[in-house]
Amino acid sequence: MDKEYKPVHGIWTSRWIFILAATGSAVGLGNIWKFPYMTGTYGGGAFVVVYLLCIAIVGIPIMMAEVMIGRRGGLSPIHTMRKLAREAGVSRHWALLGFMGALAGFLILSFYSVVAGWALYYVQEAATGGFTGKSADDIGSIFSGLLQSPWLLLGCHTLFMLLTMLVVAHGVERGLERAVRFLMPSLFVLVLVLLGYSLSSGAFMDGVRFMFHVDFSALTRDALLVALGHAFFTLSLGMGAIMAYGAYMPKEVTDPATGNRKSVSIGSTVLMIAVLDTVIAILMGLVIFPLVFGNGLDPSSGPGLMFVTLPIAFGQMPMGVLFGTLFFVLVVFAALSSSISLGEPVAAWMVENGWSRAKAAVLIGSGAWVLGLATLLSFNLWSEVTFLRGTFFDNIDFLTTSIFLPLGGFLIAVFAGWIMKETQVRKELAMQNFKLYMVWRAVVRIFAPLAVLTIFVHTIHQAFTG
Ligand code: TRP
């Protein structure tokens, strides 16, 4: 007989706190750093269209399923899966889905922290006027200089991992709630300020054309799978982060208008998170690409895109020191509110097994820190060591984002659509509109699993036939 695990992590004080925390998890390096450079590498407008379709058709329904499963289970993803599998009378091996997610989160955390470390370095660089009046070339060499210094990278990676552990050790409610309340709106304001700058930079329309001119022949080979994987990555789906956050979501809140208790509908809540996440990603593209074209840079230059283009803007705009510093501080915090959610599923699981949060955080953090060293070295000493997809970093990114997350999402959809009892699913989702519910159900049972499978098979087929 399984032990009964008690939910011990607390509940968000309102639906809004859940939205903020989940948006904090979703909006991160994926939006600000990854999305623009992937659009640049994988085909511009055509990639954007495929990505938007993946968000709308696969991402949102699966996110609803993940929150629904989490809220019903009320525990860490591993124990939630075990509990709901027992409830549905199926094999307890479904808990493996929780373990796979925990592993994926751990792997992502290891490289996420390295890249967030770059942003930390840029805070200091921006604050000390390091970009002021510099040419595009000079700024390019600041970035390559950083990547060539393992010790510098190590310092930044260590600092960011310490920050993450500190917050995870304090639990989800204390610290994080207060932080996201302030940080998410500030981030939004800054994105708008930068958008204003890029609008006036002269090359705005070139950027718009690049992002919205749809030419499917420009799609590169893996673009479909990469767009699908990124839809999962940017919404924090497929590994249990959103499931864990869903476990802390209230089932009912008091309606301020009537004073009655009413159930919290998962659909509209998830929609809000996905829209916020997508809007921020698109706006970041509209900030970055005009600057890329205005300065004669290459949109397909890869991971360095944001770290080279934005500093050029900060180096030239009025009060660039202030805005530059603020911006990179906010990137760090956006990354932090995401990295916490990568560690949370494992931490919650350990706490349920009787560990203290502090100990859990130290263990997860040090493990991911050590693994992060391999990513860190991918940019310098090991940059020539390539296999399969490229460097170690390229491989761990591809393995987690394009394999683990879609696979996790696929299994989550199957579990919600085929394994759980429909009456329970309906009650937990609390959707008012029956037609919409039927659409969701069809998507989660058939369309989403099929779409994920097709893209998988297609890409693997391509990989073998060239
Ligand atoms: N969504 C975050 C971003 O876009 C990253 C992230 C946080 C994540 N938690 C996750 C990705 C869980 C996948 C799974 O930067």
Side-chain angles (χ1 to χ4, degrees):
M1 189 49 205
D2 278 337
K3 232 169 99 186
E4 269 305 328
Y5 293 96
K6 294 262 174 319
V8 287
H9 315 288
I11 296 282
W12 308 114
T13 39
S14 74
R15 166 174 175 260
W16 277 102
I17 299 295
F18 171 75
I19 293 183
L20 274 187
T23 307
S25 165
V27 175
L29 297 173
N31 308 61
I32 305 175
W33 162 71
K34 243 184 160 188
F35 173 73
Y37 92 70
M38 287 176 31
T39 302
T41 310
Y42 288 97
F47 179 81
V48 175
V49 168
V50 175
Y51 159 80
L52 288 178
L53 286 176
C54 289
I55 295 274
I57 306 179
V58 182
I60 292 176
I62 292 188
M63 193 175 198
M64 289 170 63
E66 199 172 324
V67 174
M68 184 272 294
I69 292 174
R71 192 167 69 171
R72 175 145 190 103
L75 294 164
S76 69
I78 295 171
H79 287 143
T80 283
M81 286 311 299
R82 183 169 296 162
K83 177 172 161 186
L84 297 193
R86 195 187 325 138
E87 210 174 76
V90 295
S91 159
R92 60 203 291 269
H93 289 331
W94 274 98
L96 285 176
L97 174 56
F99 278 105
M100 188 185 88
L103 177 67
F106 180 78
L107 298 178
I108 295 174
L109 180 59
S110 79
F111 71 79
Y112 208 81
S113 166
V114 173
V115 178
W118 303 349
L120 266 178
Y121 176 78
Y122 271 56
V123 171
Q124 175 256 331
E125 202 61 14
T128 54
F131 307 135
T132 313
K134 292 272 168 69
S135 70
D137 279 350
D138 290 342
I139 287 182
S141 42
I142 293 180
F143 186 63
S144 47
L146 171 65
L147 292 193
Q148 290 314 311
S149 333
W151 289 109
L152 201 51
L153 291 176
L154 184 69
C156 299
H157 167 52
T158 308
L159 190 58
F160 186 82
M161 195 59 91
L162 280 173
L163 285 174
T164 303
M165 288 185 348
L166 200 69
V167 182
V168 173
H170 281 87
V172 198
E173 297 175 13
R174 263 188 307 154
L176 181 65
E177 273 197 20
R178 250 172 302 156
V180 291
R181 257 184 230 257
F182 163 72
L183 288 164
M184 301 317 288
S186 329
L187 181 71
F188 207 77
V189 169
L190 258 148
V191 171
L192 291 181
V193 169
L194 288 173
L195 190 67
Y197 177 80
S198 115
L199 260 171
S200 63
S201 71
F204 190 73
M205 286 322 286
D206 294 335
V208 171
R209 211 167 297 126
F210 182 70
M211 279 193 74
F212 298 112
H213 175 73
V214 180
D215 168 12
F216 282 105
S217 66
L219 271 188
T220 55
R221 254 175 58 132
D222 300 340
L224 265 182
L225 183 62
V226 169
L228 180 76
H230 187 64
F232 282 102
F233 186 91
T234 192
L235 294 178
S236 302
L237 290 186
M239 56 78 47
I242 288 298
M243 201 186 283
Y245 277 20
Y248 318 142
M249 185 181 178
K251 291 191 193 265
E252 287 187 320
V253 288
T254 308
D255 186 341
T258 60
N260 295 333
R261 300 291 289 172
K262 60 168 191 189
S263 53
V264 177
S265 158
I266 289 178
S268 54
T269 309
V270 162
L271 188 66
M272 179 101 64
I273 299 163
V275 167
L276 279 173
D277 183 76
T278 306
V279 166
I280 294 196
I282 299 275
L283 289 183
M284 277 315 294
L286 287 178
V287 166
I288 288 182
F289 286 116
L291 301 176
V292 169
F293 294 115
N295 290 287
L297 299 170
D298 174 11
S300 60
S301 62
L305 192 63
M306 168 186 121
F307 290 98
V308 178
T309 51
L310 285 185
I312 295 174
F314 292 131
Q316 294 168 358
M317 67 202 267
M319 301 206 293
V321 172
L322 177 68
F323 283 126
T325 311
L326 274 179
F327 178 78
F328 283 108
V329 167
L330 287 167
V331 174
V332 170
F333 280 109
L336 191 60
S337 64
S338 299
S339 64
I340 296 156
S341 74
L342 289 163
E344 178 61 24
V346 197
W349 175 65
M350 292 168 89
V351 169
E352 284 159 8
N353 282 317
W355 289 59
S356 73
R357 259 204 179 257
K359 268 199 200 138
V362 169
L363 199 79
I364 298 162
S366 7
W369 180 84
V370 171
L371 188 65
L373 300 180
T375 288
L376 193 156
L377 293 171
S378 300
F379 295 100
N380 36 71
L381 299 181
W382 292 356
S383 61
E384 305 299 319
V385 185
T386 55
F387 53 101
L388 300 170
R389 302 279 309 183
T391 61
F392 179 87
F393 164 69
D394 297 323
N395 279 292
I396 195 169
D397 181 22
F398 184 78
L399 177 73
T400 50
T401 307
S402 298
I403 310 275
F404 277 8
L405 298 183
L407 194 63
F410 173 84
L411 292 172
I412 286 168
V414 168
F415 193 80
W418 297 93
I419 309 283
M420 289 177 71
K421 288 206 183 64
E422 200 199 339
T423 45
Q424 293 172 352
V425 171
R426 265 196 79 179
K427 180 165 162 254
E428 196 63 58
L429 275 181
M431 277 172 85
Q432 272 108 37
N433 186 324
F434 182 70
K435 278 205 192 110
L436 268 183
Y437 165 75
M438 289 309 284
V439 172
W440 173 82
R441 187 162 168 81
V443 170
V444 162
R445 280 170 78 100
I446 305 192
F447 191 81
L450 220 60
V452 174
L453 264 188
T454 314
I455 296 179
F456 243 97
V457 172
H458 174 74
T459 307
I460 288 166
H461 176 75
Q462 270 193 339
F464 281 107
T465 54

